[in-house]
Amino acid sequence: MGDAQPGLWTRSRQRVYAEITAVAMELFLTNGFEQTTIDEIVVAAGISRRSFFRYFGTKEDVVLGHFIADGAVIRDQLEQRPDGEGPWTALRGAIFALDEGADDERLLAVSRMMYQTPSLRARSIEKHLHWYDDLVPEVQRRLGGQADSALQARAIVGCIITCLDIAGEAWSVDDGVEPLRNYFDAALDAIRRPLETPAGPSAAPDA
Amino acid sequence: MGDAQPGLWTRSRQRVYAEITAVAMELFLTNGFEQTTIDEIVVAAGISRRSFFRYFGTKEDVVLGHFIADGAVIRDQLEQRPDGEGPWTALRGAIFALDEGADDERLLAVSRMMYQTPSLRARSIEKHLHWYDDLVPEVQRRLGGQADSALQARAIVGCIITCLDIAGEAWSVDDGVEPLRNYFDAALDAIRRPLETPAGPSAAPDA
DNA sequence: GCCAAGGTGGCACTTAGTGCCAGACTGGCA
DNA sequence: TGCCAGTCTGGCACTAAGTGCCACCTTGGC
């Protein structure tokens, strides 16, 4: 708080949130996530340590905060999908809609950091677990009340998320040479491909 | 260290490891994982706090330590599978082999705790990430050098792990009324099922 | 101008995890 | 038997994350 700050306090909560995020992300990108301490963020942002934890539960949440609400976004997109679409197609479409209008440059930087930092990766996957609650009911509905549909829906949602995760990793490792959706489709294709291995002459069937 | 302990120090490292695990697990199961502090474990086990961290990197590792090596075990099983089997069948068989000889009672207790404790769940998933390194090469080999086979192999391994995770959760929620492998097969079946939804008359195709 | 509500900073505290050092035990060797 | 190096141990101090508590200030309504 050494500079002239006519009132970081008086700004709206949302503005403070954005400012802390911006300052912290710059530090993370410059010095690395684990190397950056909350005290450093706090000093750079001109707030107290105590206030930081009023905005973010953990240091990881500064990076992943944006993605928390993504589950609800995907759910909304999913529900708008035509009834004729099966769960896989609908889920794929809903996730593609999420991809629209994303800041690739920033997403790439965040992804790189995430896939290189174990605690961030773990926390990210933990956030993904909340997506189940958002997505499973609708997927279950599209499954049409089969037996075990709850388990089936969870498996489908889980694998979609896993494919998105895998795709994101490959995308960031490749520095985003191809659009993220291509990686996602490739991963999805590998999963949903029929039982026979298509490559090679007279390949052995996978069952 | 108030009791008569003729030398916990002199026992072999493995024995100490097992003893700490046993004592800690009892405390975890009794009082809950998060409620149990490392200081309590240390006192109950008759060792110093410093020594605890020479055996376990984190508190979570006490619970998950057994599963760390599972990736290598699955890999060994996977490599022994006949070449004719495709990646899915081979992976399924390898994981079933892991399931053999497991202490269901204990596994159930650990699973329940894990799925109820966020930090444990997160750490568990983090451990699963290491399985990729063990399993992807062999899966990639069975894929037969297709284009993008690295991404495909990662997607397949990831979804297998996800199905195992989902199955484990359902299994523990159901208190293990059915064997774990049944849940696993049900999850796998939901993923690998053909594009058409088989249930219901004239169901809409999923594509 | 008063008063309640909410944001803020500071302080003390708990807990996890690490670095460092000195002491005790081990096994090998002269 | 005695020495010596390697290893394990406990204790201490330290960092860093995260929480509870309280006093202060600012804001908005009356």
Side-chain angles (χ1 to χ4, degrees):
Chain A
M1 308 205 312
D3 287 353
Q5 283 165 347
L8 188 61
W9 321 321
T10 66
R11 300 173 205 172
S12 77
R13 187 168 178 84
Q14 209 166 356
R15 176 142 187 81
V16 177
Y17 182 95
E19 184 139 349
I20 299 176
T21 300
V23 169
M25 284 305 298
E26 194 182 332
L27 286 173
F28 290 156
L29 261 15
T30 305
N31 307 326
F33 179 80
E34 290 175 318
Q35 283 67 41
T36 305
T37 178
I38 292 181
D39 284 329
E40 292 172 336
I41 299 171
V42 156
V43 170
I47 58 169
S48 76
R49 175 183 172 71
R50 195 64 191 83
S51 282
F52 174 88
F53 284 109
R54 288 198 180 93
Y55 286 91
F56 302 96
T58 68
K59 197 171 75 169
E60 285 77 19
D61 287 353
V62 180
V63 179
L64 303 172
H66 317 277
F67 306 141
I68 303 179
D70 281 355
V73 175
I74 297 177
R75 167 174 46 77
D76 292 343
Q77 294 290 335
L78 185 61
E79 286 170 352
Q80 290 174 22
R81 286 270 140 190
D83 271 354
E85 287 183 350
W88 292 97
T89 309
L91 231 20
R92 174 177 173 275
I95 285 180
F96 271 16
L98 180 77
D99 190 28
E100 305 282 352
D103 181 354
D104 268 21
E105 208 58 42
R106 180 176 193 79
L107 187 57
L108 201 53
V110 173
S111 296
R112 254 190 296 255
M113 188 190 305
M114 198 184 70
Y115 289 111
Q116 285 169 2
T117 311
S119 73
L120 265 180
R121 183 84 187 267
R123 188 83 180 172
S124 163
I125 298 175
E126 205 183 334
K127 299 277 180 206
H128 286 166
L129 293 178
H130 295 315
W131 291 12
Y132 284 84
D133 302 327
D134 292 319
L135 304 180
V136 163
E138 174 67 11
V139 170
Q140 199 169 352
R141 189 184 71 77
R142 284 172 192 264
L143 243 23
Q146 306 171 30
D148 269 339
S149 69
L151 179 64
Q152 288 177 29
R154 293 187 76 80
I156 292 171
V157 169
C159 285
I160 285 279
I161 294 175
T162 298
C163 285
L164 184 58
D165 190 54
I166 297 279
E169 183 180 20
W171 178 69
S172 74
V173 168
D174 284 0
D175 280 328
V177 289
E178 277 184 75
L180 175 55
R181 57 177 55 194
N182 289 14
Y183 293 91
F184 180 62
D185 265 344
L188 215 46
D189 185 59
I191 298 309
R192 296 293 295 160
R193 177 170 309 171
L195 296 171
E196 297 74 29
T197 58
S202 69
D206 187 356
Chain B
M1 310 203 308
D3 287 354
Q5 280 163 350
L8 188 62
W9 320 322
T10 67
R11 300 170 204 172
S12 77
R13 186 168 179 84
Q14 208 166 356
R15 176 141 188 83
V16 177
Y17 182 95
E19 185 139 347
I20 298 176
T21 301
V23 169
M25 285 304 299
E26 194 183 332
L27 286 172
F28 290 156
L29 261 14
T30 306
N31 307 326
F33 179 80
E34 288 174 321
Q35 283 66 41
T36 304
T37 178
I38 292 182
D39 283 330
E40 293 172 336
I41 300 171
V42 155
V43 170
I47 58 168
S48 75
R49 177 183 172 69
R50 196 62 192 82
S51 281
F52 174 89
F53 284 110
R54 288 197 181 94
Y55 286 91
F56 303 96
T58 69
K59 196 170 77 169
E60 286 76 19
D61 287 354
V62 179
V63 180
L64 303 173
H66 317 276
F67 305 142
I68 303 179
D70 280 357
V73 174
I74 297 176
R75 168 173 46 79
D76 291 344
Q77 294 290 333
L78 184 62
E79 287 171 352
Q80 290 173 21
R81 286 270 142 192
D83 272 354
E85 288 183 351
W88 293 96
T89 309
L91 233 19
R92 174 178 174 273
I95 285 179
F96 271 16
L98 180 76
D99 191 26
E100 305 283 351
D103 181 355
D104 269 22
E105 208 58 41
R106 180 176 193 80
L107 187 58
L108 200 55
V110 173
S111 295
R112 254 191 298 255
M113 186 190 304
M114 197 184 71
Y115 288 111
Q116 286 169 1
T117 309
S119 73
L120 263 182
R121 184 87 188 265
R123 187 82 180 174
S124 162
I125 297 174
E126 208 182 331
K127 299 278 179 203
H128 284 167
L129 293 179
H130 293 315
W131 292 12
Y132 284 84
D133 301 326
D134 291 320
L135 304 180
V136 163
E138 173 67 13
V139 170
Q140 198 169 351
R141 190 184 69 79
R142 283 171 192 266
L143 244 25
Q146 304 171 30
D148 270 337
S149 69
L151 179 63
Q152 288 179 29
R154 292 187 76 81
I156 292 172
V157 169
C159 285
I160 285 278
I161 294 175
T162 299
C163 285
L164 184 58
D165 190 53
I166 296 279
E169 184 179 20
W171 177 70
S172 73
V173 169
D174 283 359
D175 279 328
V177 290
E178 278 185 75
L180 174 55
R181 57 177 55 194
N182 288 14
Y183 294 91
F184 180 61
D185 266 343
L188 215 45
D189 185 58
I191 297 310
R192 295 292 297 161
R193 178 171 307 173
L195 296 170
E196 297 77 26
T197 58
S202 71
D206 184 358

